[in-house]
Amino acid sequence: MDVAALLTCYERMAVIRRTEKAAHDLFLQGLVKGTTHLAAGQEAIAVGASAALRPDDYVFATYRGHHHALARGATPEECLAELMSRATGLCKAKGGSMHLTKAATGMLGSYAIVGSHLPMAVGAAWSARLRGTEQLAVAFFGDGATNIGAFHESLNLAAVWKLPVLFVCENNQYMEYTPIADVTAVARPAADRAPAHGIPGEVVDGNDVEAVEEAVARLARRARAGDGPAVLEAETYRHFGHSRSDPAAYRPAEEVERWLKHDPLDLARGRLAELGVQAEAVAEADERARAVVERAVEAAKAGPPPDPREALTDVWADGGAAWRT
Amino acid sequence: MADVITYREAVAEGIAREMRRDTSVVCLGEDIAAAEGVFKTTVGLRAEFGAERVWDTPISEQAIVGAAMGAAMTGMRPVAEIMFSDFLACCWDYLANEIPKVRYMTGGQVTVPLVVRTANGGGLGFGAQHSQATENWALTVPGLKIAAPATPADVIGMMAAAIRSDDPVVFFEHKALLATKGPPPPPDHVVELGRAAVVREGADITLVALAATVPLALKAADMLSGEGIEAEVVDLRCLVPLDAATVLDSLRRTSRLLTVEENPYQGGWGATVVSIVADEGFGLLDAPVRRVAGECVPLPFADALEEQVIPTVDKVVTAVRGLAAY
Ligand SMILES: Cc1ncc(C[n+]2csc(CCOP(=O)(O)OP(=O)(O)O)c2C)c(N)n1
């Protein structure tokens, strides 16, 4: 990755980190209902992968998908407005934190049933091939999803059809509260299983945005060339608990400390310094990210509530919800 | 084309007609391509459209329906087959949580124009895991359209409407009807979803039926006619959208109502029909409403036992006699 690209990635990660922090604060202020699954700590995966993708590629994510929506073109304002139940939200306040979707930029959704979106990505890749495009489909999912049947069904189907799809596991070491290692017989829950389906399984440092970009770009080239799917397991760590109700007390202090020292933003900052980028340039990027998110919070807060009549729209293609004639 | 066509041939013909007019229509499912379907409902498709558009899948119900969803979201019109409707339980997440909700929860951003076809229902002695009538499962899910044709012509016309629909449709093909015959419909035959058909006129009682209970209700009506009771038979054809207007209209003529359904009484579609009538058509009734439905037991194997628990002509005739005498 060249210096300019790395700096851009850094700024994107900073925007995501600050948006996550804003979501957290707004929740504490009672302005965000329900729950949130923050991805702070996992930004490098979304940003690195997006840097390697084409604008028309398809992305499918999980309920922990703020970072993917933001990396794939949703604005902090749209996302925060969605979390705050505003009519201006990304999904008109019908989705919420767990379902951020921006179809126009290929962010085809965030799904809250663990593993459910993996076959969808396979289908999108199939569709791309049938339509003769060179689009790629990427499914991002957690380590916990690798023990779901749909994971294995998807890997096999994608492999046997040699489809242009990448399965990117964000291995943050935990399912909800249970370490993945306690419930999985192999050490690398995603990568170790890939060979059983006849496809490559690679492991990458998920906190290193350059490494993620490089791996995704390489596997994407392969997939677009017709060589089929691949699994990329990106090792990472979430800074917060699983969701808003989880203080994450189950994590050993020294483990948390070790991972926090391996923060994706710090890593990128270190690398930028290594490459000779002045501290001011990084500070300016930080400042831009701060300003963007601050404006987004204010704008989202100012958004109107949804029209209650909207509860009965968008079920069918005609816009309505009528179940009888 | 021959002057009669079987229901099973109509399935393949209905799909083929749509595949000819729209290259975005593709099929996937177990044994549908080279083997042409375990019920021979996809005969000729692979030969005409090639293996790229008619894909044999592994036994992966979640991947079949999930991939159909992803393809539908990105420009295709997939027709996915789930071999027996009992197996919908294996991919129920997609039918209950993913496909019908994605438009809504994305604020209208995503369209899922797909059809999930499946062989439904009992009467063939296939036992408890291959005989259920499961359209009531789908009926509980907002966001799915439900089609269940009773004749070959309707299979073709409703298949056209289902495939052209921008909404997801679960298409129930009744196993007991596969060998039945009827006239083939003309080219471009489309039966709009949500239009019931009055398939027999009569002034004394309305029988509301669906799929395999339609011929059953017709047979009962013929027997009753000999006793001087003229039944009107309404083939609902679709459960969502539900054509309540045609049912209420028929009741204006008959003032008596019996629903005939194969799924269990609890949660069956007959309950919905009856509740609409109680709500909006109470004044039209001259007698209580009755429902002939499946028993709430797993489907037994032996014919003599299966007959005990699914609707039969005798059960319908008995129920009608009771209502007519009220
Ligand atoms: C099918 C299903 N089972 C259980 C849950 C409840 N649940 C929500 S998140 C989660 C943990 C998932 O862990 P992982 O896949 O590692 O993702 P992460 O949250 O770490 O990103 C569970 C069990 C669910 N949403 N879906």
Side-chain angles (χ1 to χ4, degrees):
Chain A
M1 206 182 267
D2 67 22
V3 176
L6 182 57
L7 194 56
T8 304
C9 283
Y10 174 79
E11 188 169 330
R12 289 200 181 127
M13 292 198 291
V15 167
I16 295 173
R17 176 69 57 87
R18 285 174 184 278
T19 307
E20 293 283 68
K21 174 76 167 65
H24 180 81
D25 294 347
L26 291 165
F27 194 99
L28 296 181
Q29 293 165 38
L31 290 170
V32 174
K33 285 274 155 71
T35 189
T36 53
H37 301 79
L38 299 180
Q42 305 184 189
E43 298 88 348
I45 300 167
V47 170
S50 291
L53 296 180
R54 292 189 343 194
D56 61 346
D57 288 334
Y58 300 118
V59 162
F60 294 80
T62 74
Y63 50 86
R64 192 182 308 287
H66 296 178
H67 54 327
H68 297 297
L70 289 162
R72 288 300 281 176
T75 65
E77 180 189 332
E78 290 170 321
C79 294
L80 292 171
E82 182 69 21
L83 268 59
M84 283 193 271
S85 305
R86 308 297 158 147
T88 47
L90 195 52
C91 305
K92 304 190 333 206
K94 292 184 182 181
S97 164
M98 294 202 274
H99 303 298
L100 297 183
T101 298
K102 187 154 180 170
T105 61
M107 171 64 196
L108 284 186
S110 319
Y111 298 85
I113 308 293
V114 167
S116 65
H117 60 302
L118 275 68
M120 296 176 210
V122 175
W126 175 42
S127 153
R129 178 147 95 208
L130 286 166
R131 286 178 290 113
T133 71
E134 288 195 343
Q135 288 163 291
L136 189 77
V138 185
F140 295 96
F141 54 95
D143 41 281
T146 63
N147 289 318
I148 285 260
F151 170 81
H152 299 279
E153 292 194 11
S154 298
L155 261 57
N156 179 60
L157 194 60
V160 75
W161 286 355
K162 273 191 172 283
L163 292 173
V165 54
L166 297 187
F167 300 96
V168 180
C169 176
E170 303 187 23
N171 184 352
N172 61 16
Q173 323 298 325
Y174 288 85
M175 305 177 358
E176 285 183 335
Y177 315 120
T178 305
I180 190 68
D182 289 3
V183 293
T184 307
V186 293
R188 315 278 198 185
D192 285 353
R193 269 99 166 238
H197 293 287
I199 63 182
E202 292 190 13
V203 180
V204 69
D205 179 350
N207 288 6
D208 179 342
V209 72
E210 287 182 293
V212 173
E213 191 273 343
E214 185 277 324
V216 171
R218 186 164 35 76
L219 297 174
R221 264 195 305 280
R222 203 183 152 271
R224 285 191 223 279
D227 293 336
V231 170
L232 181 65
E233 182 166 336
E235 300 193 306
T236 186
Y237 205 68
R238 53 171 153 76
H239 286 187
F240 294 94
H242 167 66
S243 64
R244 275 299 309 140
S245 48
D246 172 24
Y250 45 82
R251 304 194 298 195
E254 73 78 30
E255 176 190 285
V256 177
E257 198 184 329
R258 178 159 42 85
W259 276 101
L260 289 183
K261 278 202 196 119
H262 193 62
D263 178 82
L265 284 145
D266 292 346
L267 282 184
R269 226 182 270 115
R271 182 85 179 114
L272 285 165
E274 246 172 61
L275 293 171
V277 175
Q278 298 297 316
E280 296 90 86
V282 177
E284 280 164 22
D286 275 323
E287 174 51 25
R288 282 193 298 272
R290 192 196 58 75
V292 162
V293 176
E294 200 174 279
R295 276 199 304 276
V297 170
E298 292 317 311
K301 276 185 182 166
D307 181 338
R309 283 172 300 189
E310 278 288 327
L312 296 180
T313 65
D314 291 330
V315 173
W316 306 122
D318 67 8
W323 57 274
R324 51 182 283 199
T325 54
Chain B
M1 184 170 240
D3 35 331
V4 288
I5 181 172
T6 61
Y7 187 101
R8 67 158 48 82
E9 287 163 349
V11 174
E13 171 68 14
I15 299 168
R17 288 186 185 187
E18 292 310 300
M19 291 186 81
R20 281 175 208 134
R21 57 176 286 284
D22 181 353
T23 54
S24 70
V25 180
V26 289
C27 296
L28 71 169
E30 294 157 25
D31 299 321
I32 66 158
E36 303 189 311
V38 294
F39 293 107
K40 297 290 169 220
T41 44
T42 54
V43 172
L45 297 183
R46 163 112 147 225
E48 181 173 352
F49 302 104
E52 278 286 292
R53 287 181 71 194
V54 185
W55 278 19
D56 274 327
T57 66
I59 304 160
S60 301
E61 277 75 11
Q62 298 186 41
I64 293 167
V65 181
M69 177 179 173
M73 292 164 79
T74 54
M76 307 310 290
R77 287 187 179 268
V79 180
E81 177 177 307
I82 295 298
M83 195 183 281
F84 283 77
S85 67
D86 313 67
F87 311 163
L88 288 175
C90 299
C91 52
W92 193 234
D93 179 43
Y94 293 90
L95 288 157
N97 282 316
E98 316 297 340
I99 289 164
K101 291 179 180 167
V102 70
R103 168 190 297 284
Y104 191 82
M105 67 191 193
T106 64
Q109 294 179 59
V110 179
T111 303
V112 192
L114 61 73
V115 178
V116 176
R117 307 170 31 238
T118 190
N120 193 42
L124 300 184
F126 280 161
Q129 295 181 335
H130 288 72
S131 299
Q132 294 166 89
T134 64
E135 67 277 356
N136 57 326
W137 297 357
L139 186 61
T140 62
V141 180
L144 295 178
K145 293 194 167 162
I146 304 173
T151 67
D154 278 357
V155 166
I156 290 174
M158 289 165 69
M159 188 69 78
I163 292 174
R164 293 177 202 186
S165 165
D166 286 334
D167 295 313
V169 181
V170 189
F171 199 93
F172 290 98
E173 296 156 14
H174 202 290
K175 292 195 284 288
L177 296 175
L178 289 170
T180 60
K181 295 184 176 126
D188 290 326
H189 182 62
V190 180
V191 176
E192 191 189 336
L193 301 179
R195 284 285 162 89
V198 176
V199 293
R200 183 187 196 280
E201 292 186 354
D204 298 324
I205 181 165
T206 298
L207 305 184
V208 179
L210 184 79
T213 69
V214 174
L216 199 141
L218 286 170
K219 211 175 273 174
D222 281 345
M223 283 174 66
L224 290 157
S225 181
E227 303 174 14
I229 302 169
E230 292 303 331
E232 179 145 308
V233 179
V234 174
D235 175 359
L236 274 183
R237 303 203 282 201
C238 277
L239 295 180
V240 179
L242 183 72
D243 185 354
T246 293
V247 175
L248 289 164
D249 198 47
S250 174
L251 274 180
R252 270 181 208 108
R253 294 188 286 275
T254 65
S255 78
R256 282 173 167 74
L257 173 66
L258 177 78
T259 60
V260 191
E261 64 196 302
E262 195 176 317
N263 47 207
Y265 189 90
Q266 296 89 331
W269 56 259
T272 301
V273 170
V274 159
S275 76
I276 292 171
V277 169
D279 195 2
E280 297 167 29
F282 189 70
L284 302 173
L285 293 171
D286 285 331
V289 293
R290 287 274 180 267
R291 294 175 56 207
V292 170
E295 297 290 340
C296 197
V297 297
L299 271 290
F301 163 66
D303 286 350
L305 299 178
E306 196 179 29
E307 264 178 32
Q308 290 299 306
V309 304
I310 63 176
T312 59
V313 174
D314 280 352
K315 288 180 198 174
V316 174
V317 167
T318 307
V320 171
R321 282 192 191 125
L323 271 184
Y326 183 86

